[in-house]
Each structure stands twice: as C-alpha cells, then as structure tokens.
Amino acid sequence: MVSRVIPVDTFDLVIFGGTGDLARRKILPGLYRRFLAGQMPTDARIVGAARGALDDAGYRKFVGEAIEEFVSEKKRDKKKIAAFLDQLSYLTVDARGTAGWKELATKIRKDCVQAFYFSVGPGLFGDIATRLHKYKIANDTSRIVVEKPFGRDLESAHALNEVLAASFDEHQIYRIDHYLGKETVQNLMAVRFANVLFEPLWNAQYIDHVQITVSETVGVGGRGGYYDKSGAMRDMIQNHLMQLLCLTAMEPPSKFDPDAVRDEKLKVIRALDDLVPDDIVRGQYGADADGPSYLEDSENPDSRTESFIALRCHISNWRWKGTPFYLRTGKRLKARVSEIVVYFKETPHSIFDEDAGSHANVLTIRLQPDEGMDMRVTIKEPGPGGMRLVDVPLDMTFADALGPEAKDVPDAYERLIMDVIRGNQTLFMRGDEVEAAWRWTDPIIAGWQARGDKPKVYEPGSSGPEDALMLLHQDGRRWREIKS
Ligand code: BG6
C-alpha cells in the first residue's frame, strides 16, 4: 500500500496551553509526525502560548523532550526534529490580562490559515475568544479548536456554546472528540456506505443487537480529582461511546459532508429512548495486588462516582425499533479494547438438522488495538459425517490486508489537527449535537443521584460488576468477552 499524504495550505497555529499536558503528549508530537510525513508546509508556524515565562529556545527544548518521550524511536530523526523545532516559537500570554496579546497580533499572519487551539480549561474559553477579536488577531476565517469536557451538563455546555458563539461562527468552531479521529471509526462509515453488502441488512429486521465496548486497564490514579467530578458517564459515554453509537446507527447521509453527517448523528441522539433504572449498571473498581481501589485513587473515601458503566439503550425509529444497543466502558478492566460488535439474527428458518446448531453472523469492528474487522460466517465443518455447521472468522486486520503501513496510521490528534487546517468539520462535534447528548444523559445522572444509588464494586482485571453480565442475561444475550 502506498500512503498518500495530501499537503495542506500553510498555517499559523497558536496553542493556548502550549506547555500543558495535552500539548506535550498529543498535540506537539502529533504535529511532528505530520511534519515527518511531509504534510506540514515548511513555512507553517506553531506558536506555543502560555502564562509561564519562556523564550523560543526554552520552548523548543520543551517540545524536543516531548518528542523524545512520546514519539516512537524509529520516527525520531535528529535533523528532522531540529527542522520541525525551527518552525516553533513561544509567547507569554495572559489569557485573563493584557500581557502578550499585542505581540501575538503582530506575530500572526493574516494571509494564511489561522488556527487557535484552546488547550486550556473551559473557564478560559471566553477570555481567549474575546481577546482574539479585541486585539484584531482573529478574522472570519480563523478556526478555533476546543477539547472535551465540553460542559458537565446541558446547562454548562449551552453556556460554553454561547460564550464561543459570541466571538465565532459555528463553522469556525472545531470541538474535538478524539474517538472520531480514530482510523476505524472512519472505516465504519466506509464499510457501511461504500459497500452494498451491509446496508440492506443494517436494521432491526436483521440485526439482533449491537454491543459497544471501550474497556481500559488503567485506573484513574493521577487524575482522580477531575475524574471524581465526572465519572464514566460524563467522561466516556456522553461523548466517545455516543459518537460510536451515532455512526453505527445513523441513516446514510446524502453526502460525506460535515453538516450532512452531523445532521444524521443528531437524529440518532434525539431518537434515543429515556432509560429506566434497570437499563443501567454502575461500578467502581476495588483494590488488588497491582493497585489501589477507585476510592483510594480518587482520594474520596465516600465517592459514588462510577469508573464503570453499562447501559441498554433503544433508538425509537423505523430502522432500529426492537434492536437494543448495549454500551459499556470502564477502567481497570481485563484488557484494553474498543470495539463495536454487530450481532445479526439467525436465519429465519433452518434447513439443517437441529444437531447442526443455531448460528448467526457477527461483525466486529475493532478500534484498538489492531484496528480491523472480523466477520463471523457459518460454513460446513470440513470432513465427512454429515452437515455440521461451524462459525469461522473472515478476519481482516488492516495491517495484514494492507501491509505494514496500515499499522502506521496517524494518531487521532494528527488527523484531526490536519482536518482543522483543511477546514473540514466532518469529524468534529457540532454545538447542537453536544447539547443533545447532554440532554439525554442529564436525567440519567439525575436519576441515580436522586435514588442515592451506589456503584457496585468490581474486581480489577475483571469484566466489570456481575450485574453488567446480568443486564444481557436478562435479555437472553451475552457480552462478547473482553480480550485484546
Ligand atoms: C479520554 C478520557 O477522553 O479518553 C479518558 O477522558 C480515557 O478517561 C481516554 O482514558 C481513552 O482514550 P483512548 O484513545 O486511550 O481509548
């Protein structure tokens, strides 16, 4: 496979929070990898902006170290790193004051793509947005990039949308959900809408149910303070898993265009039924020899925040009536795996003996690790002895099918930042989508808070609490085993 790198127009990218953790771990190493791939124009410029006093040399040193730490050894080329660092500079900017803004105004070019990455707490969005205009830095074509958490409920998300809308048009706002930048997520759309095979079967008539799992082995140690105010529902379901649900369940958009895609996703969220308490299982990991419990990690001995959640949802529309979608996500589970599994129904009538068993097709779309797809089909077991049926995988690990380069897919952040520069909003959340997702999740959270529900403790390294298994058992189904 020959990888194609499509150059982007030259740009000035300002990263507010340029010395923060996200910049260090994801944004800057990602930009370096794009530079290495030949996608970053040689006259593009990246400006780190933060409150700390630092000069260009100090910032380049900081970024060099980040590359050292977060870019794989085989991609670390001294000369290339030096050339990349040459395109970087630093400005001390006070988001709430006056320092640095005039300098920023003289530094930023007016005749190229301008992008401002707000890699800062949402409390600063308004301050930065208004100053970008006050100091005549931004114009009608500038783009701003914001991160999750985008609010912690409908009210706060709406307020954030208003703050941004006061300074920028919706077409200038890029709300990142890094799950949308993952290679296989886009493949889900290709599989559904570029093949004639799946779409006719993609409905309640042929699909029994869908499982979406994002399971992690890490705990919340180190970020317990943030996490304890959030929990799995706000941290993962409201954004990443709901986005996966939308892409799986949406109607075909008329074209692969940002608003056409986002309109269809929004319709899915709006069609989600309210949940009842029996549709929800929440859990909290206990301690084991490898690590502390959630209560210890969060440093809140009375915490009722969930580190695991499993939900049963229904989408009330013609396509999906009667097909449940089960979502689950959690920390300190058995393995790190993110996948969407589509369970098709059995054939309406079996022409084979009962001994042949009952069989159904299963399509697994793996986001990580080893991006790929696996379709289980039923065949005759080879050999004599009559008709015995067996399920075998039609496995397509992208790296096997497309060569080693397919394993070298850009990280979600790399892709998304380049989409900002290209001006393509397809893989970013629109303001109304985010609000609709909160509109659905808010009453669920309010429900368990009003009931005073406590999360069930689960063993680290397990698949979550027993009750999560029961959620599917009650429906005569089973979760797919969590394994990488
Ligand atoms: C983040 C969450 O958005 O996604 C984290 O805040 C989570 O809690 C992370 O660990 C998972 O992302 P990935 O790409 O590692 O699956």
Side-chain angles (χ1 to χ4, degrees):
M1 190 194 71
V2 181
S3 68
R4 243 175 0 126
V5 174
I6 301 170
V8 296
D9 292 339
T10 193
F11 60 86
D12 276 359
L13 167 68
V14 181
I15 308 172
F16 293 103
T19 51
D21 205 46
L22 182 71
R24 197 172 72 86
R25 286 172 180 276
K26 296 286 184 187
I27 305 173
L28 292 156
L31 284 161
Y32 166 70
R33 282 190 289 261
R34 287 295 87 208
F35 172 89
L36 200 63
Q39 196 168 33
M40 199 168 122
T42 47
D43 58 346
R45 300 181 319 178
I46 298 164
V47 183
R51 258 174 60 165
L54 204 65
D55 58 10
D56 291 349
Y59 193 56
R60 288 179 185 141
K61 182 165 175 286
F62 165 84
V63 178
E65 285 164 6
I67 292 173
E68 194 66 31
E69 194 176 343
F70 297 107
V71 174
S72 63
E73 198 178 344
K74 78 174 198 296
K75 294 205 165 177
R76 294 198 307 256
D77 175 308
K78 272 205 172 117
K79 273 196 188 147
K80 297 275 186 194
I81 295 177
F84 171 72
L85 294 180
D86 262 356
Q87 294 185 236
L88 265 68
S89 61
Y90 181 81
L91 254 187
T92 303
V93 175
D94 181 359
R96 293 218 161 104
T98 52
W101 290 99
K102 282 191 183 141
E103 291 82 344
L104 190 59
T106 26
K107 201 173 178 87
I108 296 302
R109 292 173 292 179
K110 305 275 179 235
D111 55 352
C112 69
V113 172
Q114 294 181 346
F116 302 97
Y117 203 125
F118 291 16
S119 182
V120 293
L124 293 178
F125 287 2
D127 295 307
I128 297 177
T130 45
R131 280 168 180 73
L132 284 173
H133 282 295
K134 183 172 163 200
Y135 289 91
K136 300 199 170 29
I137 302 169
N139 57 44
D140 290 353
T141 60
S142 310
R143 291 145 207 182
I144 60 165
V145 186
V146 294
E147 279 285 333
K148 77 175 265 276
F150 199 84
R152 63 181 322 272
D153 52 22
L154 175 59
E155 197 185 336
S156 53
H158 182 70
L160 277 182
N161 274 336
E162 300 262 279
V163 161
L164 297 180
S167 304
F168 293 95
D169 268 358
E170 183 61 34
H171 78 269
Q172 298 179 277
I173 305 172
Y174 290 72
R175 293 177 195 77
I176 286 203
D177 180 318
H178 79 278
Y179 261 64
L180 290 179
K182 291 190 190 274
E183 182 71 13
T184 320
V185 170
Q186 292 155 81
N187 239 313
L188 174 60
M189 286 189 272
V191 165
R192 282 194 60 193
F193 305 130
N195 293 286
V196 74
L197 207 60
F198 296 107
E199 207 43 32
L201 308 180
W202 210 259
N203 55 51
Q205 195 184 343
Y206 295 104
I207 293 182
D208 178 71
H209 74 284
V210 177
Q211 298 182 11
I212 302 179
T213 297
V214 175
S215 139
E216 299 182 272
T217 52
V218 292
V220 302
R223 60 200 283 263
Y226 150 76
Y227 193 90
D228 205 44
K229 291 193 189 67
S230 169
M233 185 72 170
R234 290 188 169 101
D235 185 49
M236 298 294 287
I237 299 275
Q238 187 273 345
N239 37 79
H240 306 325
L241 279 90
M242 283 183 76
Q243 288 295 323
L244 300 182
L245 168 77
C246 287
L247 293 172
T248 310
M250 72 184 186
E251 296 299 316
S254 59
K255 47 186 184 275
F256 192 55
D257 147 294
D259 278 328
V261 171
R262 295 184 302 177
D263 285 347
E264 295 307 335
K265 281 162 50 194
L266 180 61
K267 287 183 206 159
V268 174
I269 304 176
R270 288 188 174 152
L272 280 169
D273 284 354
D274 294 341
L275 299 193
V276 296
D278 282 351
D279 292 327
I280 309 161
V281 176
R282 296 192 312 132
Q284 235 181 30
Y285 58 83
D288 71 353
D290 295 331
S293 66
Y294 177 81
L295 296 179
E296 292 163 302
D297 269 344
S298 66
E299 295 176 17
N300 177 4
D302 302 318
S303 175
R304 291 190 174 184
T305 302
E306 73 288 351
S307 61
F308 173 98
I309 190 161
L311 304 173
R312 174 178 38 221
C313 326
H314 281 98
I315 301 168
S316 272
N317 62 20
W318 275 41
R319 186 186 281 265
W320 294 117
K321 191 72 196 166
T323 295
F325 283 70
Y326 300 97
L327 314 186
R328 91 184 138 160
T329 181
K331 308 270 185 206
R332 295 237 37 217
L333 297 178
K334 214 167 165 179
R336 178 171 188 255
V337 51
S338 301
E339 61 189 15
I340 301 166
V341 192
V342 180
Y343 288 82
F344 288 87
K345 290 187 174 167
E346 289 177 13
T347 48
H349 162 74
S350 176
I351 63 167
F352 304 108
D353 289 348
E354 272 185 19
D355 295 353
S358 58
H359 298 266
N361 301 118
V362 180
L363 173 68
T364 304
I365 299 149
R366 240 175 303 129
L367 273 65
Q368 57 195 27
D370 301 328
E371 294 99 344
M373 282 175 31
D374 171 296
M375 177 86 197
R376 295 198 82 85
V377 292
T378 306
I379 60 159
K380 177 190 167 298
E381 198 176 308
M387 181 61 92
R388 292 184 312 275
L389 301 182
V390 62
D391 291 336
V392 293
L394 280 184
D395 189 350
M396 190 179 79
T397 302
F398 296 148
D400 295 344
L402 303 173
E405 273 186 46
K407 221 176 167 62
D408 207 20
V409 290
D411 167 85
Y413 276 91
E414 293 172 47
R415 179 192 315 277
L416 294 174
I417 296 170
M418 286 302 125
D419 276 357
V420 173
I421 306 298
R422 282 190 203 99
N424 184 347
Q425 287 184 306
T426 310
L427 298 176
F428 296 83
M429 295 181 296
R430 211 167 53 192
D432 52 359
E433 246 186 285
V434 179
E435 290 193 20
W438 282 121
R439 196 169 285 117
W440 185 72
T441 45
D442 275 2
I444 303 173
I445 298 172
W448 74 57
Q449 283 173 345
R451 291 191 300 275
D453 289 354
K454 277 190 176 167
K456 304 272 187 302
V457 176
Y458 60 92
E459 239 177 87
S462 69
S463 307
E466 276 291 307
D467 290 25
L469 304 181
M470 292 310 298
L471 187 71
L472 266 74
H473 284 183
Q474 290 158 4
D475 298 349
R477 300 184 173 107
R478 287 168 54 179
W479 287 105
R480 185 177 141 91
E481 195 190 337
I482 294 180
K483 58 174 188 233
S484 49

